[in-house]
Amino acid sequence: VEMTRFLPLAGPMRRALLLAAYALWCGFDQVKAETDRAEQIELWNAATKLALAEDDASTPFAPPALQDEWYIVKIANVSVGFMHTFTECNDTSSMTMEIMDVQVSRGSDTSRMAFETVFDETPLEQHDVLQIPEEEAVTGGVKVMAYDQRFANNEVRMKAHINDTNVTLISFNGEKAHTSVLPNPDVPWFGRLRARLSFTRQCRQGVPEIVVQTMRPELGPRVVNLSSTFVRLDKAWDGVEWVEASIWTVQISDVPVNMTEAYPTRGPLRCYRMLQMGLDMPFGYLLASLEEKALALEAAEDNPDRVLPELVYTMFVQLKRPIERVNEARMVKLRVTLKGEKAPPKLELPSGGYQKVTRSKKSEATLTVVIDLQNPVAATKEELAEVEYLKPSAMVDSSDEVVIQLAHSGDEQLHKEGYKVPKGDDIPVRLQPELAYMLRDIVHNHIVDKHLSTAYASASETARTGSGDCTEHAVLLAAVLKARGIPSRVCHGLVYVEQGGSAITGSAEVDANGNVQTGGSSVSGQFGWHMWSQAMINGVWHDLDATLQVPYSVGHVLVGTSSMADKEAHNNHMQMAALIGNLDIDVLDVSHKWR
């Protein structure tokens, strides 16, 4: 398709010949890929046969009672931290823990990110490590699943207690713990250790495609498919020497990030001990490789001479044409297109708020997006009935006393302007627009320290500190809206940034390669990844951006929304990951005429 753009219209025969040649080349490449895979499968079968001959057939595989592994983590070939995995199996429980601790650059700030996940499972049966008592089938053999995320100075914790009746989810972010009771999954699944052992059993038998149902703590208490596909045999470092390893691609259902894992093909821990783990990220390839503990910990220490990967400006979408007078425009029409080999096959963007989306008849990878500030989208029946848009959560903790106080801080001004403001949260519909815009201004002015060194603070914490980036603005605005009885949700997507300026301060400059500049305009316009809020007023969603100097502008592309309920964890932000680095945006039309 791209080739046809450069073919002369007067030469249909020439075009036909070139397209035929292109088709032949693609066909050859596909045949070659199929041939290569067939050869790798043969090698895999041979390696499996050899390993089976060396196994002790009289003893079924069981994991070591104690296993402690350390990995160096690199992003774009720069050492940024470590990963640590720990497993302990005894007569009372089977516990697994994973920690990743890395440093990254966010604009001019350096942030440290740490993620810890823990599974506490029932003891393994000696005769069959995958067996779960019938009464525990709905629990996946899991007693407790926990997640702890630390980003900069903020912490998010989640712990799920699972029994044969339900899941009790306790989430903590900021000042309070929030408890939710959820039903057990209605499909069979395994906790992390048994899921790994299920993979190991099938891998040791030479199965090239393996699907296991499990949970990922960072995605909340929901069952996902973990699909592993054998790719090839290769060499991998085992912490001491290079060994033969099987390389697998790993896909988590509904998570658009490509993962790879490597396991030894020989020895007692073949198909079980992970030698390497890789993630194909927009800002560079992340690779965790086995290493000595001391070297792994050293990689996480501060090093002023190390140039860390940059996570903000390198992911901006550059424009060929700017949006003229973006803050004064009523409507903008954009063409949004997927690009690159890493992009998903189909582009999906929602209609919501002031955004309406139509699909191209020619390509599943192209959408026309119209943002019209005088034509908001009505809420659906499902959205009108969604109770989470009013309920507090660990992140959007609208029941917090300081959040409530902030939500009422503009009442006196409304009284002066002649509005009758009730003391409770039963706000008349005619007053809701005025109140919503006032709350946006209150949050914008309350967060006086606008920077990138905070990440994912709760509303209650931001209400007390008055600092943060777009995330904190969006979450706090959603909380004060809820506190006044206005349904709200958080949006993620892209915001228009003129001349390389930051959406936070407007001062940073960035060139076409994502390099932060100190002065001078380098590009005519760009879109950067961003978060804001939506308020449901009289059954219609209205966009509100507390980060910017204006309440909202046409320079926003909505990718997704989230109620930020505890049970969702980071689920609703996953679709954004597939688009980072894979989008082209063209400005088709701009209107400054208001009706």
Side-chain angles (χ1 to χ4, degrees):
V1 174
E2 287 296 313
M3 290 179 67
T4 62
R5 294 170 54 195
F6 304 99
L7 301 179
L9 295 176
M13 181 60 70
R14 185 178 180 189
R15 179 184 304 179
L17 288 172
L18 281 172
L19 289 176
Y22 178 70
L24 284 172
W25 177 80
C26 287
F28 173 76
D29 190 62
Q30 181 178 0
V31 171
K32 183 177 183 298
E34 291 175 354
T35 302
D36 289 346
R37 173 149 180 81
E39 291 176 354
Q40 287 297 330
I41 291 295
E42 287 185 11
L43 293 172
W44 172 236
N45 290 337
T48 300
K49 185 176 181 180
L50 182 62
L52 286 171
E54 296 174 349
D55 287 347
D56 182 359
S58 63
T59 305
F61 176 80
L66 194 66
Q67 189 172 18
D68 193 21
E69 305 279 24
W70 292 83
Y71 303 77
I72 280 184
V73 176
K74 294 183 177 183
I75 298 178
N77 210 31
V78 177
S79 295
V80 296
F82 68 84
M83 184 171 77
H84 177 212
T85 65
F86 179 82
T87 303
E88 182 176 11
C89 302
N90 53 46
D91 294 338
T92 59
S93 69
S94 302
M95 192 273 286
T96 60
M97 177 190 70
E98 290 185 5
I99 296 175
M100 184 176 289
D101 190 330
V102 299
Q103 295 183 70
V104 294
S105 172
R106 302 177 76 220
S108 59
D109 297 308
T110 296
S111 296
R112 189 162 189 168
M113 299 185 294
F115 308 93
E116 178 181 355
T117 60
V118 175
F119 276 84
D120 183 8
E121 304 178 39
T122 55
L124 300 177
E125 298 287 344
Q126 290 186 357
H127 65 282
D128 186 354
V129 293
L130 296 184
Q131 183 173 321
I132 299 176
E134 185 176 350
E135 63 273 15
E136 299 174 6
V138 294
T139 71
V142 177
K143 296 183 288 184
V144 175
M145 178 179 72
Y147 172 68
D148 190 338
Q149 170 192 296
R150 301 172 190 177
F151 200 135
N153 298 318
N154 306 103
E155 183 177 17
V156 179
R157 298 200 307 266
M158 179 276 290
K159 181 178 284 188
H161 296 268
I162 305 173
N163 57 44
D164 57 2
T165 305
N166 53 43
V167 178
T168 301
L169 180 66
I170 303 173
S171 302
F172 179 88
N173 190 317
E175 301 300 313
K176 297 178 181 178
H178 289 254
T179 301
S180 307
V181 178
L182 307 172
N184 278 321
D186 55 5
V187 295
W189 63 288
F190 285 135
R192 178 161 55 200
L193 180 57
R194 286 183 173 88
R196 169 65 65 85
L197 291 170
S198 178
F199 166 82
T200 298
R201 177 176 293 182
Q202 296 177 73
C203 172
R204 289 169 74 94
Q205 294 299 319
V207 179
E209 295 185 3
I210 301 170
V211 179
V212 181
Q213 290 185 301
T214 185
M215 285 190 186
R216 303 279 293 195
E218 66 273 19
L219 300 180
R222 70 182 184 100
V223 176
V224 296
N225 287 338
L226 203 63
S227 303
S228 301
T229 302
F230 170 76
V231 178
R232 67 184 187 278
L233 295 180
D234 209 331
K235 295 291 185 179
W237 183 253
D238 72 352
V240 178
E241 61 181 348
W242 292 95
V243 298
E244 184 181 70
S246 59
I247 311 298
W248 300 75
T249 60
V250 182
Q251 288 284 336
I252 304 171
S253 53
D254 301 326
V255 178
V257 177
N258 296 319
M259 299 172 57
T260 59
E261 294 178 348
Y263 296 89
T265 60
R266 308 281 290 275
L269 295 182
R270 71 180 181 92
C271 290
Y272 177 77
R273 188 190 190 202
M274 189 175 69
L275 306 178
Q276 288 182 344
M277 184 276 292
L279 288 171
D280 197 357
M281 309 295 283
F283 43 83
Y285 193 79
L286 183 151
L287 182 65
S289 302
L290 271 172
E291 193 48 89
E292 297 176 8
K293 177 181 178 179
L295 294 176
L297 289 172
E298 183 181 341
E301 294 178 0
D302 292 333
N303 182 352
D305 298 326
R306 175 174 50 187
V307 179
L308 294 168
E310 205 285 318
L311 302 192
V312 177
Y313 299 107
T314 54
M315 295 187 283
F316 275 23
V317 180
Q318 312 297 329
L319 298 179
K320 298 175 184 176
R321 170 191 171 187
I323 301 177
E324 300 291 348
R325 295 161 36 222
V326 65
N327 291 339
E328 302 170 26
R330 188 207 90 232
M331 185 277 299
V332 68
K333 185 177 182 180
L334 307 171
R335 179 172 58 237
V336 184
T337 307
L338 292 171
K339 67 172 185 178
E341 297 178 354
K342 299 177 183 179
K346 184 177 181 180
L347 179 58
E348 299 277 6
L349 295 176
S351 291
Y354 299 120
Q355 173 172 297
K356 288 188 178 179
V357 177
T358 56
R359 184 168 301 282
S360 168
K361 295 180 180 179
K362 297 181 179 180
S363 172
E364 296 252 290
T366 300
L367 297 173
T368 299
V369 177
V370 175
I371 298 95
D372 188 337
L373 301 190
Q374 289 189 309
N375 193 17
V377 175
T380 65
K381 290 181 179 180
E382 293 77 15
E383 291 169 343
L384 290 169
E386 180 55 75
V387 296
E388 298 293 351
Y389 293 141
L390 279 172
K391 288 175 59 177
S393 66
M395 283 294 292
V396 187
D397 40 356
S398 53
S399 60
D400 175 77
E401 59 183 10
V402 179
V403 171
I404 294 173
Q405 182 181 358
L406 186 65
H408 284 269
S409 61
D411 288 5
E412 184 177 346
Q413 181 61 35
L414 288 173
H415 281 300
K416 290 180 180 179
E417 294 176 6
Y419 293 98
K420 294 183 178 179
V421 184
K423 293 183 179 180
D425 57 9
D426 187 16
I427 304 298
V429 172
R430 62 180 178 81
L431 179 58
Q432 288 184 9
E434 188 72 24
L435 178 59
Y437 277 89
M438 175 172 278
L439 291 174
R440 188 223 77 97
D441 292 345
I442 287 171
V443 171
H444 176 79
N445 294 323
H446 183 76
I447 302 178
V448 294
D449 188 11
K450 303 176 190 292
H451 56 74
L452 290 167
S453 60
T454 304
Y456 258 71
S458 67
S460 59
E461 184 173 355
T462 303
R464 287 166 171 79
T465 63
S467 67
D469 59 20
C470 62
T471 305
E472 284 68 47
H473 287 77
V475 167
L476 181 55
L477 179 52
V480 294
L481 286 164
K482 286 185 178 184
R484 299 309 301 270
I486 300 176
S488 65
R489 61 188 183 185
V490 172
C491 305
H492 51 274
L494 294 147
V495 66
Y496 180 74
V497 185
E498 288 184 326
Q499 298 182 342
S502 164
I504 304 301
T505 65
S507 60
E509 293 289 330
V510 59
D511 64 19
N513 296 316
N515 299 312
V516 178
Q517 304 294 301
T518 56
S521 173
S522 55
V523 294
S524 61
Q526 55 196 336
F527 274 96
W529 295 96
H530 189 58
M531 289 180 68
W532 63 95
S533 315
Q534 284 182 351
M536 189 193 297
I537 299 172
N538 199 22
V540 175
W541 287 111
H542 293 264
D543 291 284
L544 296 166
D545 194 329
T547 307
L548 305 184
Q549 297 292 334
V550 295
Y552 200 66
S553 76
V554 297
H556 290 73
V557 177
L558 179 65
V559 172
T561 62
S562 172
S563 68
M564 303 294 283
D566 296 336
K567 63 183 179 182
E568 289 183 353
H570 301 296
N571 259 350
N572 288 359
H573 301 294
M574 286 300 174
Q575 63 266 51
M576 188 167 63
L579 303 181
I580 297 176
N582 298 321
L583 286 181
D584 270 333
I585 299 178
D586 296 301
V587 180
L588 303 180
D589 188 23
V590 182
S591 174
H592 296 83
K593 296 180 180 179
W594 290 77
R595 297 190 296 272

